[in-house]
Amino acid sequence: MAFKVIKENILRANDDVAQSIRKRLDAQGTLMINIISSPGAGKTAFLERTGPLLREEGIAFVVLTGDCFTSRDAERMDALGLPVVQINTGNACHIDAQLIDSAMKGIDLAGTDLIVVENVGNLVCPAEFDLGEDMKIAFLSTAEGHDKPSKYPLLIEEGKLAIINKTDLLPYLDFDAQYCRESIKKVNPGIKILEISCRTGDGIDGFIDWIKDEIKIKKEKNA
Amino acid sequence: MYYSSAGGSRIMHEIKFAENIVKTLEPVVKDPGIGNVKKICLEVGKMHYIVPEILETGFKGTPRSRKLRRAELEIKVLPLKVRCRNCSTEREVEEMDFTCGSCGKSDTEITSGKEFTISKIEYSDR
Ligand SMILES: Nc1nc2c(ncn2[C@@H]2O[C@H](COP(=O)(O)OP(=O)(O)OP(=O)(O)O)[C@@H](O)[C@H]2O)c(=O)[nH]1
Ligand SMILES: [Mg+2]
Ligand SMILES: [Zn+2]
């Protein structure tokens, strides 16, 4: 029996595509964020809230939204006139780089400041796949309970921003916000945490300020 | 609003992992010096979510060339460890707390647990 050392990433094929996407984004200074949450945490509601504000700020953006079969989320955003591409993943529980690559075909990167990926609702699988994004956003909500950061550490560890949504529900839940924040920081002390409510609009401004900075940083880095 | 859709239908992420493994290894086994592959050794850190049985099933269902057809997967799971950048203490993480157990600083780095590698293949000599 003979052997050969390989030492390649298991997702090498995916990563090659992700790297080529990243190169194209970098060349144009386009920022890409990958929003990952469990089903129903409020990703689409968040984009319905923030999309019109981003537009008011003059930010040119496109949303790529993933769903197994339906186009409901894209229809919700389309109703607000937000630019959106629906990615249907079939039976897959995540978006991979190849799907982003195809979805990007019609996008003029030179005229785009920001691409927002709404991943398939799932805290496990999407965290495994590099899409060529600049950063992953861990999108949590109070209704899920405060123990999620410890249960899904990969996303928290790789995330640049953690959003805790549905703060308007706090009076009705036994959600321990401090515990949640602490368990996020125990895994990733450098991550930024924003608490928001897509229902009331609380905390949304904080996100708009943050993303404007990030877009600027990306543009300057690649100028 | 535009549509972009996955051709065909796939199920779990482990199936995607299996397809990626085959894609990476096909060019490697083209080498005439490499015979039929018996074993593909993987090293997967604890931070990743893999159900080995699903990965194996996925691998069996992934089309591949003759030299890879009989190959079996050997999955080695590596523990989650962090090292403190302040006092250099290294320890295994059990509860999801990466803070240093010795000096209490939170500036630690993961030294093991994020591996996601095809480490080697074993094949019959020609
Ligand atoms: N009370 C409250 N409800 C919210 C908030 N944000 C979203 N929701 C509700 O939560 C439900 C799910 O929201 P979606 O925006 O569809 O969640 P999603 O993460 O896009 O869901 P999937 O794409 O299916 O994973 C909807 O009924 C929203 O109205 C919030 O801040 N507060
Ligand atoms: Mg949605
Ligand atoms: Zn220490």
Side-chain angles (χ1 to χ4, degrees):
Chain A
M1 190 77 80
F3 71 90
K4 184 179 169 74
V5 175
I6 305 288
K7 284 249 180 282
E8 288 278 12
N9 198 309
I10 290 177
L11 282 177
R12 160 76 196 281
N14 178 80
D15 295 350
D16 286 349
V17 180
Q19 268 322 103
S20 108
I21 291 171
R22 189 165 281 122
K23 259 201 194 143
R24 273 174 274 155
L25 294 170
D26 286 354
Q28 303 297 340
T30 305
L31 184 76
M32 186 193 275
I33 60 175
N34 177 6
I35 305 180
I36 298 176
S37 85
S38 50
K43 298 177 295 302
T44 308
F46 176 68
L47 295 169
E48 289 171 315
R49 265 275 176 195
T50 53
L53 298 173
L54 293 172
R55 193 163 49 193
E56 271 172 38
E57 295 283 345
I59 295 165
F61 67 96
V62 182
V63 178
L64 311 181
T65 183
D67 194 273
C68 293
F69 302 108
T70 81
S71 56
R72 280 165 197 252
D73 287 358
E75 282 159 19
R76 280 165 60 184
M77 290 182 259
D78 196 46
L80 295 173
L82 304 175
V84 57
V85 180
Q86 176 71 54
I87 298 177
N88 282 126
T89 58
N91 283 327
C93 48
H94 60 273
I95 296 177
D96 67 9
Q98 195 62 58
L99 287 170
I100 294 293
D101 190 57
S102 321
M104 275 171 60
K105 291 263 149 65
I107 299 174
D108 165 34
L109 287 184
T112 306
D113 304 314
L114 173 68
I115 295 178
V116 181
V117 178
E118 178 188 350
N119 220 308
V120 180
N122 181 336
L123 276 177
V124 180
C125 326
E128 301 279 358
F129 290 82
D130 183 6
L131 305 181
E133 76 276 326
D134 292 278
M135 60 192 79
K136 294 189 173 89
I137 296 183
F139 194 100
L140 310 165
S141 75
T142 56
E144 297 157 43
H146 48 244
D147 59 352
K148 294 302 167 287
S150 317
K151 285 191 175 168
Y152 304 97
L154 183 65
L155 173 60
I156 302 294
E157 197 266 327
E158 295 197 340
K160 176 108 188 257
L161 170 69
I163 291 177
I164 304 173
N165 184 33
K166 306 196 187 181
T167 52
D168 60 290
L169 296 179
L170 283 172
Y172 315 102
L173 303 166
D174 57 2
F175 184 86
D176 185 337
Q178 190 183 341
Y179 179 95
C180 185
R181 282 192 299 268
E182 279 172 8
S183 54
I184 291 171
K185 293 281 184 183
K186 277 176 183 172
V187 172
N188 184 349
I191 197 169
K192 184 178 170 67
I193 303 176
L194 287 175
E195 289 166 48
I196 65 162
S197 165
C198 294
R199 179 63 48 89
T200 65
D202 262 10
I204 296 287
D205 288 354
F207 172 79
I208 299 292
D209 290 341
W210 178 84
I211 197 79
K212 273 163 64 185
D213 280 348
E214 291 296 333
I215 290 170
K216 202 165 137 233
I217 293 167
K218 174 98 194 214
K219 282 234 152 62
E220 281 164 2
K221 203 165 62 190
N222 299 281
Chain B
M1 184 169 107
Y2 300 94
Y3 290 89
S4 184
S5 173
S9 55
R10 304 197 175 89
I11 317 157
M12 295 301 290
H13 60 292
E14 279 92 350
I15 294 177
K16 261 299 160 45
F17 296 164
E19 290 173 0
N20 271 255
I21 292 168
V22 171
K23 255 194 206 162
T24 300
L25 291 180
E26 287 294 2
V28 175
V29 301
K30 286 238 163 68
D31 178 345
I34 294 181
N36 290 334
V37 177
K38 294 267 153 65
K39 210 193 262 179
I40 300 169
C41 304
L42 308 178
E43 290 182 353
V44 179
K46 262 237 164 92
M47 286 284 274
H48 294 279
Y49 313 92
I50 279 197
V51 182
E53 293 75 24
I54 302 182
L55 183 57
E56 275 155 21
T57 310
F59 184 69
K60 287 198 183 101
T62 305
R64 58 218 134 109
S65 67
R66 183 184 49 83
K67 282 188 189 174
L68 286 173
R69 212 157 291 156
R70 294 262 164 92
E72 296 208 344
L73 298 181
E74 185 185 270
I75 305 166
K76 188 173 162 194
V77 178
L78 301 174
L80 176 55
K81 287 184 185 169
V82 294
R83 182 172 43 223
C84 178
R85 289 204 178 93
N86 180 47
C87 74
S88 302
T89 307
E90 189 177 37
R91 71 175 174 97
E92 194 168 334
V93 174
E94 272 132 38
E95 298 295 306
M96 276 301 149
D97 186 351
F98 294 10
T99 316
C100 176
S102 274
C103 73
K105 289 261 160 62
S106 61
D107 188 15
T108 58
E109 60 181 334
I110 297 175
T111 50
S112 160
K114 291 200 76 179
E115 298 81 357
F116 204 54
T117 330
I118 308 169
S119 50
K120 63 174 182 179
I121 52 174
E122 290 182 12
Y123 55 90
S124 53
D125 295 307
R126 290 242 129 158

